[in-house]
Amino acid sequence: MEQLLQDSALVEKYLSGDENALEILINRHSQRVYSFIFSKVFDKDIAEDIFQDTFIKVIKTLKKGAYNEEGKFLPWVMRIAHNLIIDHFRKNTRMPKFEGSDDFNIFSVISDNSPNVEKQIIKDQVEDDVRKLIGELPKDQQEVLVMRMYKDMSFKEISEITGVSINTALGRMRYAIINLRKIVEKNNIVLTNQ
């Protein structure tokens, strides 16, 4: 019976108080979610921690009533896992690790890699210009480009969400890039943040 119920029906049952529905959902997707996480972090302990955090966030979001992706449960869970993986790597790059050595250099700890004000203004302007350029693309190309570049979705996920084939999604991405280049050349726009 559990295989017959769609993810969306199980979500509804869980929201109505059926804890077993959540267990079925987790069991149904656990291997795929865990494999995805492990393929990014290559560490069993870290993968398990992120896996647990993913489903804790899923449960909290469901209980708050903030889940609204009808029929898109697995892509939603994968997005949560992906964001937690990114958070993990960001946290680890901010916290430097030290090997025990006599060559300790305090400047390797306190160096400031953040951009100066001028570079930040230029970076913000370039990002704003790129958003405007994307706005000039046909809607189907905009959609695929934003999903791929800003939401970091796979072409398989994009095809599932948009209802087109993977090849069509790839084609739209290709044409989006070609058209962006044409717009940049036509308007003599310089995009640089160096």
Side-chain angles (χ1 to χ4, degrees):
M1 171 180 152
E2 67 186 49
Q3 281 300 89
L4 300 176
L5 289 176
Q6 294 286 333
D7 288 351
S8 56
L10 288 167
V11 168
E12 288 299 318
K13 285 180 71 144
Y14 174 68
L15 293 175
S16 300
D18 183 354
E19 296 287 328
N20 288 335
L22 180 65
E23 185 180 344
I24 293 168
L25 278 169
I26 292 172
N27 288 337
R28 180 180 290 175
H29 300 299
S30 63
Q31 185 59 46
R32 188 160 173 204
V33 174
Y34 179 82
S35 296
F36 169 74
I37 295 167
F38 186 81
S39 73
K40 305 297 182 208
V41 299
F42 298 110
D43 183 289
K44 185 176 179 280
D45 295 330
I46 294 170
E48 287 173 3
D49 287 347
I50 293 173
F51 178 81
Q52 286 178 349
D53 290 344
T54 299
F55 280 101
I56 288 170
K57 191 162 187 169
V58 165
I59 292 166
K60 284 181 179 177
T61 305
L62 289 173
K63 286 191 174 184
K64 278 195 301 191
Y67 173 77
N68 60 3
E69 308 222 5
E70 194 63 36
K72 305 277 189 227
F73 181 77
L74 181 60
W76 174 66
V77 173
M78 297 296 256
R79 236 179 353 265
I80 290 171
H82 181 262
N83 291 340
L84 290 172
I85 291 165
I86 290 171
D87 291 347
H88 163 75
F89 285 118
R90 280 186 185 143
K91 185 174 72 179
N92 282 347
T93 56
R94 272 199 305 265
M95 303 297 290
K97 294 185 176 75
F98 301 105
E99 304 285 324
S101 96
D102 296 333
D103 299 344
F104 180 74
N105 180 354
I106 188 65
F107 295 106
S108 68
V109 180
I110 62 171
S111 66
D112 184 10
N113 294 331
S114 60
N116 64 28
V117 174
E118 181 183 6
K119 285 184 179 179
Q120 187 61 47
I121 291 170
I122 293 169
K123 181 179 181 288
D124 292 345
Q125 183 60 50
V126 168
E127 289 173 359
D128 188 50
D129 291 345
V130 169
R131 275 192 287 279
K132 288 176 184 169
L133 292 172
I134 291 170
E136 293 187 34
L137 293 172
K139 292 291 181 209
D140 59 344
Q141 292 174 20
Q142 278 183 35
E143 181 181 42
V144 172
L145 184 98
V146 167
M147 287 179 180
R148 182 72 178 147
M149 301 309 292
Y150 291 98
K151 297 182 180 175
D152 203 26
M153 296 171 72
S154 70
F155 284 106
K156 185 174 190 299
E157 291 170 319
I158 293 169
S159 75
E160 289 170 359
I161 289 172
T162 59
V164 299
S165 71
I166 292 175
N167 285 340
T168 300
L170 284 164
R172 288 179 181 174
M173 181 68 183
R174 180 174 173 268
Y175 285 116
I177 292 169
I178 290 169
N179 287 332
L180 279 175
R181 284 186 185 137
K182 286 180 185 174
I183 295 168
V184 167
E185 288 172 15
K186 182 178 101 180
N187 295 305
N188 292 323
I189 297 171
V190 177
L191 296 173
T192 181
N193 62 356
Q194 296 180 0

